[in-house]
Amino acid sequence: MKGFGTEIRNLRERLSKDSKEFSVRRVAAKIGVEPAYLSKVEREVVPPPSEVKIIALAKVLGADEDVLLALAGKVSSDLLCIIKDRPILFAELIRKLKEEPDHAVLRIVREVKDGDW
Amino acid sequence: MKGFGTEIRNLRERLSKDSKEFSVRRVAAKIGVEPAYLSKVEREVVPPPSEVKIIALAKVLGADEDVLLALAGKVSSDLLCIIKDRPILFAELIRKLKEEPDHAVLRIVREVKDGDW
DNA sequence: CAAAATGAGTACTAAGTAGTACACAGTACC
DNA sequence: GGTACTGTGTACTACTTAGTACTCATTTTG
C-alpha cells in the first residue's frame, strides 16, 4: 500500500508545478502546522497528523477526506458517531458487507438514495 | 447517556449475587488487569480501558462487545478495517443510513443475508 | 550577487493512554 | 476472633500522540 505521506507529497507537488501557493511552507500555513512538521509527515518520518489536519489537507489539496483518512489508518469521526449511536445494527451490517463486492454495496447505496422509504 | 463504568458495575453486581466468581478481584484477574484499576473503571474515575480489555469484559460478563465498545466511545477495530479498505463506498453508505430508521437498516441487513448476490 | 524562499535536521514538550504496585479499612466466614 | 476476602485511595510509570521552535544548507529569483 502507498503511504499517507507519499500521497500528500504527490498531490502537493503536482499542484506546486503551476502555482507558488503549494510549497511545504504555504500548505503548512494553510492547515495550521509548522513547515518542518509537514515535511516530516510527507517523508513519513512521523506518523500522519490528526483528523482535523488531514481534513484541512484534503480541502487544500482537493482530495477526498475519507480516502486520505483511510491512508492515515483512520476513519472519520462523524462515521464513528453514527455507528456508536446504533452499534448492533451497524456492526452487523458492516460485517455482512465485508464479503460483498463493490457493485453489491453500491447497489444498496443507490437503493437507499432513490428508494421510497 | 449511561456511562461505561456504571454499566460494567451493574452487569457485574447482578452476576455476583449468585456466584463468588464475579467480585472486582475475580473479574479483574479474568480480564488481566489489577483490581484497583477495574474498580476505578467502574466508578469512572479513569476512562474506559482498551479495546482488548473491553472485549474480554464483554465475554466474561456475557454482554455485547459492540455495545460496550460504543459505551466506551469506541468502534471495534475489525469494523474500522472493513471501512478503511473501501473508504468512499462505506462512508457514503453509512452517512446515508444515518437518517434512516432502524427498521429500514434492518431490512437491508436481511436483504444482504438472504439475497442472491 | 544579494535577498528570499525551499525543504530538511535536531531537540524538545504538553497532554493523553493504559495501566501497575502497594497499602488500607471494612465485612464475612466459621 | 483471627483469616480471608471485599472494594478502594494514593502514587507512580512507560508509551503514544501531536505537534512546536529553532536552525541550516541549498536553490531560486530580481
Side-chain angles (χ1 to χ4, degrees):
Chain A
M1 302 216 195
K2 202 177 22 174
F4 173 82
T6 307
E7 176 68 8
I8 296 299
R9 172 137 298 188
N10 288 341
L11 288 168
R12 190 183 56 75
E13 283 186 341
R14 217 186 319 276
L15 290 166
S16 79
K17 284 206 205 310
D18 38 35
S19 162
K20 79 281 170 252
E21 288 302 304
F22 294 93
S23 69
V24 167
R25 275 178 159 77
R26 296 304 195 104
V27 173
K30 283 184 217 282
I31 70 166
V33 299
E34 291 294 311
Y37 179 55
L38 179 56
S39 171
K40 277 179 285 193
V41 167
E42 290 191 349
R43 284 171 294 135
E44 293 172 13
V45 170
V46 300
S50 67
E51 177 174 347
V52 171
K53 308 297 183 187
I54 292 174
I55 290 173
L57 267 175
K59 284 195 165 61
V60 169
L61 302 179
D64 186 289
E65 292 180 16
D66 296 301
V67 170
L68 288 191
L69 284 168
L71 277 172
K74 300 174 198 270
V75 171
S76 180
S77 60
D78 72 300
L79 297 180
L80 297 183
C81 286
I82 297 171
I83 297 170
K84 281 180 254 171
D85 270 353
R86 294 184 280 179
I88 299 181
L89 210 56
F90 277 97
E92 192 181 353
L93 175 64
I94 294 168
R95 290 201 182 99
K96 249 166 201 144
L97 291 177
K98 180 188 178 181
E99 311 295 349
E100 302 297 334
D102 283 21
H103 68 83
V105 182
L106 253 169
R107 204 165 91 179
I108 295 175
V109 174
R110 305 264 168 272
E111 230 175 295
V112 177
K113 178 142 90 196
D114 315 325
D116 43 45
W117 302 84
Chain B
M1 303 218 196
K2 201 175 27 171
F4 172 82
T6 308
E7 176 67 8
I8 297 299
R9 172 137 298 187
N10 288 341
L11 288 168
R12 189 183 57 76
E13 282 185 340
R14 217 186 320 276
L15 290 166
S16 79
K17 284 206 202 315
D18 37 35
S19 161
K20 79 282 171 252
E21 288 301 304
F22 294 93
S23 69
V24 167
R25 275 178 160 76
R26 296 304 195 104
V27 172
K30 283 185 219 281
I31 70 165
V33 299
E34 290 294 310
Y37 179 57
L38 180 56
S39 171
K40 278 179 284 192
V41 167
E42 290 190 350
R43 285 170 295 133
E44 294 172 13
V45 169
V46 299
S50 64
E51 178 175 345
V52 170
K53 309 295 184 189
I54 293 174
I55 289 174
L57 268 175
K59 284 194 165 63
V60 169
L61 301 178
D64 185 289
E65 293 179 15
D66 296 300
V67 170
L68 289 191
L69 285 168
L71 277 171
K74 300 174 199 267
V75 171
S76 181
S77 58
D78 72 299
L79 297 181
L80 297 183
C81 286
I82 297 172
I83 297 171
K84 281 181 257 173
D85 269 353
R86 294 185 281 179
I88 299 181
L89 210 56
F90 276 97
E92 192 182 352
L93 177 63
I94 294 168
R95 291 203 181 97
K96 248 166 201 143
L97 291 176
K98 179 188 179 180
E99 312 294 349
E100 302 298 333
D102 283 18
H103 67 83
V105 182
L106 255 169
R107 203 167 91 180
I108 295 175
V109 173
R110 274 190 237 104
E111 229 174 295
V112 177
K113 179 143 87 194
D114 316 326
D116 43 45
W117 302 84

